Amino acid sequence: MKNLIIFRAFLIAISCAIVGTHPLSAQAVQQTKGDFQDKFRQIDPEDAPTPNDYRAASGAPGHKYWQQKVDYKINVSLDEASKTLNGGADITYTNNSPDTLTYLWLMLDQNDVKKNSIAELTQTTDETGRISFNQVRRAQVMRASEGGFTITKVTNPAGAGLTFDVVDTLLRVDLAEPLKPGQSFAFKVDWTLPMRDSRLIGGRNGYECFTKADQDGNCIFLAAQWFPRAAVYSDYEGWHNKSFLGRGEFTLEFGDYEVAITVPADFAVSSTGDLVNANEILSPAQQERMAKARASYRDPVYIVTPQEAAATEKAKAATTKTWRFKAQNVRDFAWAGSRKFIWDAMAVKQPGANDVMAMSFFPKEGDPLWSAYSTKSIAHTINVYGRLTFAYPYPVAQSVNGPVGGMEYPMITFNGPRPEKDSAGNLTYSDRSKYGLISVIIHEVGHIWFPMIVNSDERQWTWMDEGLNTFLQYVAEQEWSEAYPSRRGDPRDITEYMRSTNQVPIMTQSDSVQRLGDNAYGKPATALVVLRETVIGRARFDRAFKEYSTRWRFKRPTPYDFFRTMEESSGTDLDWFWRAWFYSTDHVDISLTNVREGTLDTQNPDIESARRIAERDAKPIELGQLNNKGMKTYADNDPSVLDYYDRTDPLSATKGQKTRAATARAALSPEERAVLDVKDRFYILSLENKGGAVSPVILKFTFKDGTSDTVAIPAEIWRYDARKVNWTYMTAKEVTQVELDPRQETADVDRSNNYFPTRIEPTRLEVFKASQGPRNLMQDNDLAVSQESIQTKPAVSPKAGAGAAGAGAATGTRPNR
């Protein structure tokens, strides 16, 4: 049974996005007097699952934590001509749960392209009615052929058939006998799978063929989601059997794999796992280069050289070879093969842990970018992620160039960027291609930590792998080179999204997320940057994040395990932060509405009198009095009307005031007299929370002498009133300017209200010409003006109903819509 509390939290998050209410407004603790908003109300236990034997209140796995184990022995062959995989898998399912199972669910994610799949039938289009060339070509291909799995049989070890049912992208296998806790069940599944044209059909797998006249006609094959994979059975949801709709990625079980991959004999294969028959596959020279690569910690060594790959591309082998791989404790298996592949490798040393072979596979079309940056990007990722989380546990980490822009699997990643050719045919690459390649490799190799090892539920909580990984990617990018142009992570880069209306809370299920890149990648990554740099501080954040990563290594965490671990380990109450950034669509917009300066009343009549007189005299003279200057008054003509009050300043100190002040001061304690001697200035700041999200308040005070002071006020300043607060700053110096969020570290979306006094924001104005006028048909047809052209009647009257509309479409006038 699905956890009702999790489902409730999800429904509340969605309803908040739809109706625009405050997050989690259906509170167990209800405010019935006034309109107080408790932004610091604790998440537990109202809105998160109650801790239990499986998941502790600290965020750690409970003392009875369990998860299933599924082992595979697979034989698969690639038919290059038909681009089809034929495979068989012996699967052993071990039930570590406390429950008895009567059936098993497996995932057939590639069924998402079947004609009657939920994913295909629910494809939507925009309201403009436009359609691209690729969309038309895709529709033609989808109509002509049926993709996805064909399950040929499911049998027990004795060969007897098992009852099974294919439900969209899922395969249910019925068990002849119930599978009790602690028992294992072995069965076999045979299938065929046509690989898809990845650039046309899309997806995370498939093939790319180089068929242009100036290329070799060979293909790159990327095999992912290519075999029936056991669906998850978990303590918090039971069977995870939601259909694959193309976006929400894959929650899987850990296990051991033995895989035999039969491909054309001239292919090079990159795969999850260790190559266990290298002596049969690689030439003596290639084996020698591999040995050199294992000792090279600075520069990659070619295993398959560019020259060897170029020679191989010229003719297709008529025979096959079988590459054999083993992988332990992985949650998935992917591979890639092509005769086009250049292959390089280098070793990465990990302090106190195993060395890792970083390897790249790419066609000549990927150079010079790939040979320069790919394998070194892998090594850099292993170093940075290993320091921030835990050492990379597997023997190899690989980057493969092909048609998939970026996708991850245990020990292997698919990455897309390549150089481009200019109009003269010269090979070049832009800075975007260079940094795009480095970034995507960091990101995809980083995914081997999240979620390939820290095994979060991607389909339900996409941000747990994409957001956490994008945060670590940002850190790794900034450690690659100074001023690295990261796309996501800097709080300044998320403000436009945060203020937009087209968004849902981060905690929304992946298939319902709007603007996935901002929601699941950018916003949670930025949230963690704000947590690390502003809210918690680097040292405490890094310790807590490492704690979370280590606790849940090779286990399946939920968001609540992350939230609780970060709070427990850092010693920081963060419920307000999770609510604002993850459960709501509130944003940070704090306005500095006013600053008042004050000094203490000294209670000394002489001092206070002089101050009041100076303040009065500093005011401008009333206009009427100014215009009366030089005018003869009655008193000028008759001075006898002037008396004591005309000769005495009404603000001057009197004898009585001085006597009373001296008596009052004598009655004060020494500490109280010291207070009256304070000469400091007091600045009272009025702050308004316009965005809804409570946030730390960072204030920079600039003084008259040119110096400055920055003060970081914790978010708890908003605990009594989440809308408006006043705060006082004391200084001996005169303040000339106050600025909110001076380093732009809190993702405050509106900087125009961050200054007091308000200042003018500079901008650049683009100069442009007026847009082109209506289309000139005569000009388009190279016709000069003549009497004949003026007198010629149109072939179709513009008022001829449907005919006019058709003519309009043909001649470029605007049809009715």
Side-chain angles (χ1 to χ4, degrees):
M1 172 179 279
K2 300 187 186 301
N3 189 303
L4 294 179
I5 300 177
I6 295 177
F7 187 59
R8 172 177 170 266
F10 166 68
L11 288 179
I12 292 172
I14 289 295
S15 65
C16 292
I18 294 173
V19 302
T21 60
H22 284 280
L24 302 173
S25 56
Q27 302 179 16
V29 178
Q30 295 186 10
Q31 175 70 23
T32 59
K33 300 283 194 299
D35 59 354
F36 173 70
Q37 293 180 10
D38 187 1
K39 298 284 187 175
F40 294 85
R41 184 172 61 86
Q42 298 297 285
I43 288 178
D44 296 329
E46 297 168 23
D47 311 305
T50 302
N52 52 45
D53 290 346
Y54 310 132
R55 298 173 188 274
S58 66
H63 68 282
K64 289 186 178 180
Y65 175 84
W66 58 268
Q67 63 188 30
Q68 311 291 55
K69 186 174 188 293
V70 188
D71 301 322
Y72 301 82
K73 291 183 180 180
I74 305 176
N75 286 280
V76 64
S77 62
L78 168 66
D79 184 324
E80 184 180 13
S82 66
K83 300 179 177 60
T84 300
L85 297 179
N86 297 284
D90 291 295
I91 304 173
T92 302
Y93 189 100
T94 301
N95 182 16
N96 293 320
S97 80
D99 307 324
T100 297
L101 306 178
T102 59
Y103 51 82
L104 306 177
W105 282 105
L106 285 79
M107 299 193 298
L108 307 175
D109 300 291
Q110 297 241 24
N111 282 4
D112 66 328
V113 295
K114 284 188 176 292
K115 294 184 180 68
N116 293 320
S117 71
I118 296 174
E120 279 297 310
L121 290 175
T122 58
Q123 293 276 355
T124 59
T125 56
D126 62 48
E127 60 185 12
T128 65
R130 296 178 300 173
I131 188 167
S132 70
F133 279 89
N134 261 16
Q135 286 174 309
V136 175
R137 289 180 59 223
R138 184 184 189 277
Q140 290 174 315
V141 170
M142 295 294 292
R143 183 174 61 183
S145 62
E146 180 78 288
F149 286 91
T150 298
I151 304 299
T152 55
K153 59 181 178 179
V154 181
T155 58
N156 65 18
L162 296 173
T163 301
F164 66 90
D165 187 18
V166 175
V167 182
D168 198 55
T169 63
L170 295 156
L171 169 66
R172 192 191 70 247
V173 177
D174 295 329
L175 304 179
E177 298 291 336
L179 185 62
K180 296 180 179 179
Q183 291 183 338
S184 296
F185 175 71
F187 62 104
K188 183 175 182 179
V189 181
D190 292 329
W191 73 93
T192 63
L193 176 68
M195 300 191 78
R196 61 178 77 179
D197 182 339
S198 182
R199 292 192 181 278
L200 179 61
I201 305 300
R204 297 162 172 81
N205 46 69
Y207 61 85
E208 172 190 16
C209 294
F210 296 73
T211 56
K212 293 182 180 179
D214 60 339
Q215 294 177 318
D216 51 66
N218 289 303
C219 303
I220 294 174
F221 295 89
L222 304 180
Q225 296 85 56
W226 57 278
F227 62 98
R229 304 175 298 166
V232 163
Y233 186 79
S234 74
D235 62 279
Y236 63 87
E237 190 167 343
W239 283 110
H240 293 228
N241 55 0
K242 186 182 189 304
S243 288
F244 177 54
L245 303 184
R247 174 185 285 177
E249 290 180 357
F250 319 104
T251 307
L252 298 159
E253 304 283 13
F254 286 103
D256 300 334
Y257 285 74
E258 295 180 20
V259 180
I261 304 168
T262 300
V263 294
D266 51 1
F267 269 37
V269 174
S270 170
S271 174
T272 298
D274 260 335
L275 176 61
V276 296
N277 64 334
N279 59 330
E280 301 172 11
I281 295 297
L282 304 182
S283 70
Q286 291 168 342
Q287 293 179 55
E288 183 179 346
R289 294 175 201 148
M290 181 66 79
K292 289 181 179 178
R294 294 187 188 281
S296 179
Y297 294 96
R298 180 176 176 83
D299 295 306
V301 174
Y302 284 119
I303 311 303
V304 175
T305 68
Q307 295 76 20
E308 288 173 331
T312 303
E313 290 179 35
K314 294 178 180 178
K316 295 184 179 181
T319 59
T320 62
K321 283 185 179 178
T322 299
W323 296 60
R324 300 183 184 279
F325 295 89
K326 285 187 178 181
Q328 291 185 319
N329 206 19
V330 296
R331 50 159 263 177
D332 201 357
F333 196 102
W335 58 275
S338 179
R339 63 176 54 86
K340 293 179 64 66
F341 280 154
I342 301 165
W343 174 6
D344 71 16
M346 65 181 286
V348 183
K349 187 175 289 295
Q350 298 190 105
N354 57 292
D355 281 5
V356 181
M357 283 294 287
M359 304 193 294
S360 296
F361 295 75
F362 52 94
K364 62 180 183 292
E365 289 79 7
D367 258 342
L369 271 179
W370 275 71
S371 58
Y373 295 112
S374 178
T375 301
K376 290 186 176 181
S377 298
I378 298 172
H380 177 65
T381 307
I382 290 171
N383 289 327
V384 175
Y385 277 63
R387 187 185 78 244
L388 294 174
T389 59
F390 49 80
Y392 186 85
Y394 297 126
V396 296
Q398 299 160 92
S399 171
V400 180
N401 181 228
V404 175
M407 190 59 197
E408 78 284 352
Y409 303 93
M411 304 185 227
I412 181 174
T413 63
F414 301 158
N415 304 299
R418 291 178 187 147
E420 305 91 21
K421 286 185 178 180
D422 62 18
S423 57
N426 300 313
L427 201 62
T428 65
Y429 63 82
S430 63
D431 58 346
R432 180 176 180 179
S433 295
K434 170 190 170 179
Y435 292 116
L437 176 64
I438 296 168
S439 290
V440 74
I441 291 174
I442 291 173
H443 183 87
E444 303 307 336
V445 172
H447 270 312
I448 301 178
W449 276 266
F450 302 91
M452 295 298 142
I453 299 171
V454 180
N455 188 19
S456 56
D457 184 346
E458 305 161 86
R459 193 156 298 176
Q460 185 153 325
W461 301 295
T462 304
W463 69 267
M464 288 195 73
D465 72 300
E466 297 297 357
L468 269 62
N469 185 44
T470 301
F471 158 71
L472 289 168
Q473 173 192 344
Y474 173 73
V475 176
E477 288 173 344
Q478 296 306 303
E479 292 188 23
W480 176 272
S481 63
E482 186 176 356
Y484 188 98
S486 297
R487 289 180 57 215
R488 296 181 173 117
D490 188 328
R492 292 173 293 186
D493 295 334
I494 200 67
T495 55
E496 285 302 315
Y497 173 69
M498 294 288 281
R499 78 199 311 170
S500 70
T501 57
N502 183 27
Q503 59 172 300
V504 295
I506 290 176
M507 288 289 282
T508 302
Q509 195 272 338
S510 63
D511 291 313
S512 301
V513 167
Q514 301 174 28
R515 296 178 63 175
L516 183 73
D518 290 319
N519 178 280
Y521 294 70
K523 185 177 177 181
T526 305
L528 296 186
V529 171
V530 173
L531 265 188
R532 185 181 192 231
E533 306 293 357
T534 301
V535 177
I536 299 177
R538 277 198 183 186
R540 292 190 180 97
F541 177 94
D542 288 355
R543 187 206 178 283
F545 195 85
K546 195 178 189 76
E547 181 83 24
Y548 166 75
S549 306
T550 304
R551 278 179 173 182
W552 291 97
R553 184 174 62 161
F554 299 111
K555 295 182 176 66
R556 180 173 292 107
T558 68
Y560 318 104
D561 300 316
F562 176 71
F563 296 156
R564 288 164 174 164
T565 296
M566 293 302 293
E567 292 194 16
E568 289 274 332
S569 186
S570 70
T572 311
D573 179 15
L574 297 171
D575 292 63
W576 61 271
F577 189 86
W578 312 131
R579 286 180 179 282
W581 281 82
F582 289 79
Y583 283 95
S584 83
T585 54
D586 287 349
H587 59 264
V588 177
D589 181 12
I590 301 172
S591 174
L592 180 55
T593 58
N594 193 27
V595 178
R596 290 170 289 162
E597 180 187 83
T599 53
L600 294 183
D601 187 329
T602 63
Q603 299 184 13
N604 182 322
D606 289 324
I607 295 174
E608 295 304 314
S609 173
R611 178 183 60 78
R612 287 193 294 270
I613 291 171
E615 289 175 351
R616 180 198 63 195
D617 293 346
K619 294 179 180 179
I621 300 174
E622 191 268 326
L623 182 60
Q625 292 182 359
L626 184 64
N627 290 332
N628 288 340
K629 284 288 185 180
M631 180 184 68
K632 280 283 187 176
T633 66
Y634 187 89
D636 289 332
N637 295 322
D638 184 2
S640 66
V641 300
L642 301 176
D643 63 2
Y644 170 80
Y645 290 103
D646 294 294
R647 296 188 296 271
T648 304
D649 192 319
L651 297 181
S652 62
T654 66
K655 180 179 180 180
Q657 287 175 324
K658 296 177 182 180
T659 300
R660 289 190 295 273
T663 301
R665 185 176 178 86
L668 297 176
S669 68
E671 292 80 8
E672 291 171 328
R673 284 195 292 273
V675 169
L676 296 181
D677 294 334
V678 170
K679 301 296 190 295
D680 288 42
R681 300 168 188 263
F682 293 83
Y683 292 90
I684 302 172
L685 287 73
S686 297
L687 301 164
E688 288 188 20
N689 179 0
K690 293 181 174 295
V694 294
S695 169
V697 178
I698 317 297
L699 294 165
K700 179 182 179 182
F701 296 87
T702 301
F703 305 114
K704 192 174 184 179
D705 63 6
T707 61
S708 65
D709 179 34
T710 299
V711 180
I713 307 169
E716 281 76 7
I717 187 176
W718 304 100
R719 67 191 183 277
Y720 298 126
D721 189 336
R723 299 181 182 90
K724 294 182 179 181
V725 294
N726 293 314
W727 187 79
T728 301
Y729 177 74
M730 177 180 175
T731 178
K733 299 182 179 183
E734 181 179 351
V735 173
T736 58
Q737 175 84 59
V738 185
E739 181 182 357
L740 260 171
D741 195 17
R743 292 180 293 268
Q744 300 180 45
E745 61 189 275
T746 66
D748 192 309
V749 305
D750 184 2
R751 293 198 53 76
S752 67
N753 57 24
N754 283 22
Y755 304 96
F756 197 92
T758 301
R759 73 183 191 185
I760 297 173
E761 289 286 325
T763 188
R764 300 284 285 181
L765 302 177
E766 288 190 23
V767 180
F768 62 92
K769 288 186 177 181
S771 60
Q772 188 175 355
R775 183 179 176 188
N776 186 325
L777 293 182
M778 293 179 65
Q779 185 180 69
D780 281 356
N781 286 305
D782 295 327
L783 295 177
V785 175
S786 66
Q787 191 67 25
E788 289 77 9
S789 67
I790 295 174
Q791 293 175 344
T792 300
K793 294 182 179 180
V796 180
S797 168
K799 297 182 180 180
T811 59
T813 57
R814 180 175 296 176
N816 294 325
R817 291 181 181 172

